[in-house]
Amino acid sequence: MQALQILNNVFGYNSFRSGQEEIINMLLNKNNILAVMPTGAGKSLCYQIPALIFKRGTIVVSPLVALMDDQILALKEIGVSADRIHSHRGDKLNKETINNFKNGKIKILYLSPENLMSDKTLTELSNIDIDMFAIDEAHCISKWGVSFRPQYEQLSKLSTIYPNAIIAGFTATADKITREDIVKKLNKNDTKIFVQGFDRPNLSLAVEQKDNWKKQILFFLENKSKESGIIYCLSRKQTEDVSIFLNKHNHRSIPYHAGQEGTIRKKNQEIFMNEEGVIIVATIAFGMGIDKANVRFVAHLSLPSSIEAYYQEIGRAGRDGHPADTLLLYGLNDLFQRRRFIESDGENIQHKLRENKRLDSLLAYCETPTCRKKSLLAYFDEKVKECKNCDNCINPPKMLDGTKLAQMVLSAIYRSGQIFGAQHIINILLGNKTEKILQKNHDKVKTFGIGSDYKIDFWQGFIRQLISAGHLIINIKKFGCLQITESGYQILKDKEYFNYKKIETKKSQAPKLKIMKEALNLDANSIEILSSLKQLRLNISKENSIPAFVVFSDSSLVEMATVRPKSLQEMLKINGVGPSKLKKYGPIFLTVINK
Ligand code: ADP
């Protein structure tokens, strides 16, 4: 009951989302937990509400300064006594904050793992009882996970230093072994693992062969000009190039990558967070801790490192629950590049094996001819019905017998000694008399020119499918040459068939985003009000230097524009309006609504 009251009266939300109440109750009953919930499920509330009920303090471990700052702003905005300690704030402020935590003025203290586990902080905190440690992005503690951070490893000492405190881990991405590893590292044997379904029904999924990314991305962006979105690129330079290209085509966009000067990066992030219709073109450096709920699309211009990474990145779209589109474009070169990354990443063979396996799973997902949602969630051990919303459900791919074509490729590889990359093999198939072909006498092999009925794009896609199906491997140690596997030999010897997905080289097949207006069913009047409310929100956010979503979320504004409250009392019923925000912003928003 108390938890629900806090949800209503402090956070201003009407009801719990799925899983939240259960987790809160587990924590109130002093259980150690590991909660795995999809992005946008509302993990923060799960520890913030118990933290407000507990007598003593709660420490939240969070990896990123920007994330901490946003969370604290949002909490202060609703009158919750929370603060953070980090290096950007200076010793004096940090000291003051820790004193406030010690004497109970602050109930929730946010810290980075390295800061918390430093001797200095541990000594400062040594005399205080702490009720709970909430560990955000808990997968960073596991080497099995996708983004291991050595600083997180130190957290395994917490259970010894604070045997009476609850340890609650939260993550959006952890497969079974990673979950078990996290629990082991957090060293609480009695930890209860809570896994909330991974399904995000509002996300549409699409994967396409990359043949002309410029055309493909422009097609994807049609009807999305007023929406915010993220486009992920592999390199820093690519983010700059893509951003310039999009701006030229009237899509307002800004680049973001770790090589930018700090102030520029911060400014770009702020523009994206606060303004409407901005596309951020970023490397994977962007995202962790991005709290923008109304991201309407995420596109990848190259292959992510794994399904976990992909799921986390697309998960940044549609956190408000409204429809959002995703598109992954990938080509043969991306695949080579990924394998190369893995090969050059240290000496640990087990690690490389694991990363290669992860990449294989992602490829299998990319090439699946069946429902993508099904395939994606199966990876996380979850069964769902067909989504009817992905490219494969909307446009089921045609499967064709490709045994003969596969034999042509395999034979060209075999006859040229299995020491050449895809480009050279395709030149053999097409009958191109390149310098290298002539030099190696490959114009004399039997397969020379045998595939000239098809174009280069076709062969790239076809070879990619052979690799994804495990009939060919890329040997990175031998400069990325293609080699035939056991199953590949079976096809070559005519003992196995090979079916392939028809290769479309036409324009994009990606499903189109239902325009928000239609999805929300707003009438013209409501749209006008909504636009004024968004402008008001932007003004307030600029005046007070706070992110727009900290003032009100999009969902709250949409509700205001449709319900059109007439009094403060009616305003309080809007989801996301609690007493604190009502007092601060209620009157001015009411004026705009009823103008
Ligand atoms: P996560 O950390 O799981 O990705 P957040 O905690 O950032 O998600 O929550 C996502 C958004 O959902 C936030 O804007 C949050 O305020 C909102 N939210 C959380 N719980 C509820 C709820 N019960 N009702 C309405 N909105 C909620």
Side-chain angles (χ1 to χ4, degrees):
M1 189 56 203
Q2 208 180 352
L4 185 61
Q5 273 169 1
I6 294 179
L7 181 80
N8 299 153
N9 300 337
V10 178
F11 290 89
Y13 294 132
N14 301 338
S15 54
F16 284 113
R17 285 191 183 153
S18 166
Q20 285 180 324
E21 197 169 13
E22 203 174 336
I23 292 176
I24 290 172
N25 284 335
M26 283 185 197
L27 291 175
L28 292 177
N29 290 324
K30 304 271 170 188
N31 289 300
N32 297 300
I33 63 152
L34 170 65
V36 187
M37 297 166 90
T39 311
K43 287 186 276 299
S44 328
L45 274 187
C46 296
Y47 52 81
Q48 287 162 349
I49 290 183
L52 294 181
I53 296 174
F54 288 147
K55 280 207 182 68
R56 294 176 287 254
T58 287
I59 286 189
V60 180
V61 179
S62 175
L64 286 186
V65 168
L67 176 74
M68 277 186 219
D69 286 344
D70 282 352
Q71 291 243 2
I72 299 297
L73 273 174
L75 287 171
K76 285 192 171 164
E77 201 57 26
I78 54 171
V80 170
S81 56
D83 218 327
R84 75 284 199 201
I85 290 181
H86 59 64
S87 50
H88 296 194
R89 302 189 76 222
D91 282 351
K92 193 163 163 261
L93 259 184
N94 281 342
K95 178 102 191 133
E96 212 176 288
T97 305
I98 215 153
N99 282 337
N100 284 340
F101 184 67
K102 275 183 183 170
N103 62 30
K105 273 195 197 154
I106 290 172
K107 287 289 307 256
I108 312 178
L109 179 64
Y110 281 65
L111 279 163
S112 68
E114 53 274 37
N115 211 327
L116 170 63
M117 300 314 286
S118 70
D119 288 341
K120 189 170 162 233
T121 313
L122 286 176
T123 315
E124 293 262 28
L125 294 175
S126 59
N127 299 327
I128 359 177
D129 274 336
I130 289 169
D131 267 321
M132 174 168 67
F133 289 92
I135 298 168
D136 211 1
E137 313 284 357
H139 58 278
C140 295
I141 201 173
S142 170
K143 283 192 176 141
W144 296 99
V146 276
S147 33
F148 170 64
R149 289 175 169 235
Q151 307 90 327
Y152 262 71
E153 248 184 349
Q154 295 292 321
L155 295 173
S156 53
K157 293 185 200 146
L158 273 183
S159 58
T160 321
I161 307 175
Y162 288 96
N164 297 324
I166 306 167
I167 297 190
F170 291 85
T171 172
T173 167
D175 55 16
K176 202 153 173 271
I177 44 169
T178 312
R179 280 173 225 157
E180 282 159 12
D181 195 38
I182 298 172
V183 169
K184 206 165 89 198
K185 293 258 170 62
L186 291 178
N187 218 1
K188 291 271 189 181
N189 296 329
D190 55 349
T191 298
K192 291 201 160 118
I193 300 183
F194 175 94
V195 182
Q196 164 90 356
F198 278 80
D199 192 11
R200 302 272 312 276
N202 59 323
L203 294 191
S204 77
L205 304 172
V207 181
E208 279 179 31
Q209 155 148 333
K210 180 162 62 182
D211 37 54
N212 182 339
W213 69 264
K214 289 183 177 172
K215 261 195 195 159
Q216 287 170 295
I217 202 74
L218 288 179
F219 184 78
F220 178 70
L221 292 176
E222 268 178 25
N223 300 331
K224 294 188 175 77
S225 61
K226 300 231 161 53
E227 315 292 4
S228 306
I230 307 173
I231 297 185
Y232 280 111
C233 299
L234 207 54
S235 71
R236 296 170 180 185
K237 182 171 180 313
Q238 197 188 13
T239 64
E240 307 270 356
D241 295 347
V242 172
S243 176
I244 291 170
F245 168 78
L246 291 178
N247 281 318
K248 263 193 204 153
H249 286 81
N250 297 327
H251 290 287
R252 187 171 170 220
S253 80
I254 38 179
Y256 182 102
H257 57 77
Q260 284 169 327
E261 203 218 311
T263 47
I264 295 183
R265 210 170 57 222
K266 191 156 181 269
K267 176 132 196 298
N268 285 353
Q269 178 167 331
E270 275 169 12
I271 294 175
F272 176 70
M273 295 300 282
N274 296 329
E275 297 184 28
E276 299 284 319
V278 179
I279 301 173
I280 195 139
V281 187
T283 58
I284 50 160
F286 179 80
M288 207 175 189
I290 294 303
D291 220 354
K292 192 174 169 75
N294 64 344
V295 174
R296 290 269 69 78
F297 59 88
V298 169
H300 284 86
L301 290 188
S302 66
L303 208 55
S305 59
S306 63
I307 290 201
E308 285 98 332
Y310 168 68
Y311 186 76
Q312 205 170 26
E313 283 151 20
I314 60 170
R316 292 180 184 127
R319 289 168 69 145
D320 54 10
H322 296 309
D325 280 352
T326 74
L327 171 69
L328 164 57
L329 294 181
Y330 90 107
L332 200 51
N333 276 340
D334 299 319
L335 230 162
F336 279 93
Q337 211 157 4
R338 276 286 165 211
R339 293 271 189 236
R340 225 174 279 134
F341 279 173
I342 296 172
E343 199 44 51
S344 57
D345 182 18
E347 291 305 317
N348 185 330
I349 295 183
Q350 284 304 319
H351 171 75
K352 285 183 189 176
L353 268 175
R354 225 161 36 224
E355 291 309 303
N356 273 313
K357 274 211 162 130
R358 282 211 158 100
L359 186 55
D360 289 342
S361 307
L362 179 65
L363 291 180
Y365 163 77
C366 290
E367 296 300 342
T368 183
T370 59
C371 171
R372 291 211 189 271
K373 192 57 87 48
K374 267 184 132 169
S375 158
L376 184 63
L377 295 186
Y379 181 82
F380 295 106
D381 277 336
E382 197 175 318
K383 270 195 183 154
V384 285
K385 286 204 196 109
E386 286 183 341
C387 72
K388 311 266 185 240
N389 193 24
C390 69
D391 51 354
N392 286 347
C393 281
I394 293 171
N395 247 329
K398 223 177 172 176
M399 296 306 289
L400 302 171
D401 177 8
T403 312
K404 285 274 168 298
L405 294 169
Q407 285 167 346
M408 290 181 194
V409 177
L410 294 164
S411 164
I413 294 172
Y414 185 74
R415 284 166 194 274
S416 54
Q418 310 203 42
I419 51 170
F420 294 95
Q423 191 54 45
H424 188 75
I425 300 300
I426 293 174
N427 279 331
I428 297 179
L429 291 166
L430 294 176
N432 289 338
K433 290 191 174 171
T434 63
E435 207 175 305
K436 198 164 160 188
I437 295 260
L438 296 176
Q439 196 187 24
K440 305 278 173 196
N441 276 334
H442 286 162
D443 52 335
K444 306 284 183 314
V445 296
K446 229 175 133 186
T447 35
F448 185 74
I450 198 174
S452 58
D453 286 349
Y454 296 85
K455 294 214 168 90
I456 179 166
D457 288 355
F458 173 85
W459 285 117
Q460 283 178 337
F462 191 83
I463 290 177
R464 215 191 52 218
Q465 292 197 37
L466 278 172
I467 297 170
S468 305
H471 304 313
L472 285 178
I473 52 160
I474 301 171
N475 189 337
I476 293 298
K477 284 203 183 112
K478 293 195 174 159
F479 309 104
C481 71
L482 293 175
Q483 293 180 336
I484 305 169
T485 63
E486 204 40 56
S487 65
Y489 278 114
Q490 296 296 315
I491 297 171
L492 192 59
K493 290 183 207 152
D494 228 0
K495 290 191 176 154
E496 280 292 341
Y497 295 108
F498 176 62
N499 286 334
Y500 75 107
K501 228 166 51 171
K502 189 174 174 199
I503 296 170
E504 308 275 0
T505 44
K506 301 193 300 301
K507 64 179 185 175
S508 171
Q509 297 292 326
K512 306 250 76 185
L513 176 76
K514 295 166 206 84
I515 300 169
M516 282 296 288
K517 192 174 79 171
E518 286 167 20
L520 295 170
N521 256 335
L522 295 189
D523 57 40
N525 221 345
S526 306
I527 291 171
E528 208 170 299
I529 297 175
L530 180 61
S531 141
S532 311
L533 293 178
K534 283 188 174 174
Q535 188 55 48
L536 173 62
R537 179 178 65 176
L538 183 63
N539 296 345
I540 294 176
S541 99
K542 279 189 173 157
E543 263 165 38
N544 300 296
S545 305
I546 49 175
F549 69 90
V550 167
V551 181
F552 283 124
S553 69
D554 269 13
S555 304
S556 299
L557 294 192
V558 168
E559 204 179 321
M560 285 180 205
T562 42
V563 175
R564 298 178 207 162
K566 296 246 172 316
S567 62
L568 286 175
Q569 241 161 351
E570 283 177 26
M571 188 75 156
L572 194 56
K573 290 191 190 135
I574 300 284
N575 218 9
V577 182
S580 169
K581 287 192 182 175
L582 184 77
K583 202 164 142 210
K584 252 192 204 155
Y585 307 125
I588 179 153
F589 276 79
L590 267 185
T591 316
V592 171
I593 294 167
N594 294 299
K595 205 157 54 183

